[in-house]
């Protein structure tokens, strides 16, 4: 009788583990949450882009913004990694906007490196 109880408890424990998301599923959830937050905050970048175009009419460029998103969703070390035009005010504007954003906590309880390509026209 004692063996059946132990075996039943072990089977219940194994069954409950099957519903735990895999690491890939947790990372996918973090990526989707990050994308959702960026989509909801597109307007924050739009003003930086509009100001850059006003300063340089006809501007057609790209910039890649990178940052570390900590486990709590805060932005750390944002910087422009690549930019095919020169505009320090644009860089400052974009960095200040991303610093002000708060993302959902990481599903992995770890830091995530994020990059975002901005098209300036």
């Amino acid at each position: 009788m004692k063996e059946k109880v132990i075996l039943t408890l072990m089977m219940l424990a194994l069954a409950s583990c099957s519903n735990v998301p895999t690491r890939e599923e947790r990372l996918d959830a973090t990526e989707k949450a990050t994308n959702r937050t960026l989509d909801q905050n597109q307007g924050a970048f739009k003003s930086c882009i509009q100001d850059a175009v006003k300063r340089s009419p006809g501007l057609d460029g790209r910039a890649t913004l990178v940052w570390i998103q900590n486990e709590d969703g805060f932005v750390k070390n944002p910087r422009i990694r690549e930019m095919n035009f020169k505009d320090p005010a644009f860089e400052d504007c974009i960095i200040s906007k991303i610093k002000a954003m708060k993302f959902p906590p990481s599903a992995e309880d770890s830091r995530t490196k994020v990059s975002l390509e901005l098209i300036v026209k």
Side-chain angles (χ1 to χ4, degrees), residues 44-64:
F45 299 119
K46 202 176 259 185
S47 64
C48 299
I49 292 170
Q50 290 170 340
D51 290 346
V53 172
K54 283 179 190 172
R55 284 189 297 276
S56 302
L59 178 63
D60 188 5
R62 292 179 184 271
T64 303

Side-chain angles (χ1 to χ4, degrees), residues 11-88:
M11 288 176 68
L12 284 174
L14 288 174
S16 67
C17 289
S18 65
N19 293 330
V20 174
T22 65
R23 182 175 191 277
E24 283 130 15
E25 290 170 332
R26 290 189 307 270
L27 289 173
D28 188 47
T30 297
E31 183 179 346
K32 285 179 181 175
T34 296
N35 287 336
R36 223 177 2 263
T37 301
L38 288 170
D39 286 345
Q40 292 167 352
N41 289 282
Q42 285 181 50
F45 299 119
K46 202 176 259 185
S47 64
C48 299
I49 292 170
Q50 290 170 340
D51 290 346
V53 172
K54 283 179 190 172
R55 284 189 297 276
S56 302
L59 178 63
D60 188 5
R62 292 179 184 271
T64 303
L65 174 64
V66 296
W67 69 92
I68 301 295
Q69 199 168 293
N70 75 8
E71 58 276 357
D72 296 321
F74 291 102
V75 173
K76 301 294 179 192
N77 305 319
R79 63 185 173 83
I80 301 290
R81 184 178 59 203
E82 296 174 24
M83 196 161 99
N84 66 356
F85 62 98
K86 185 79 172 154
D87 189 335

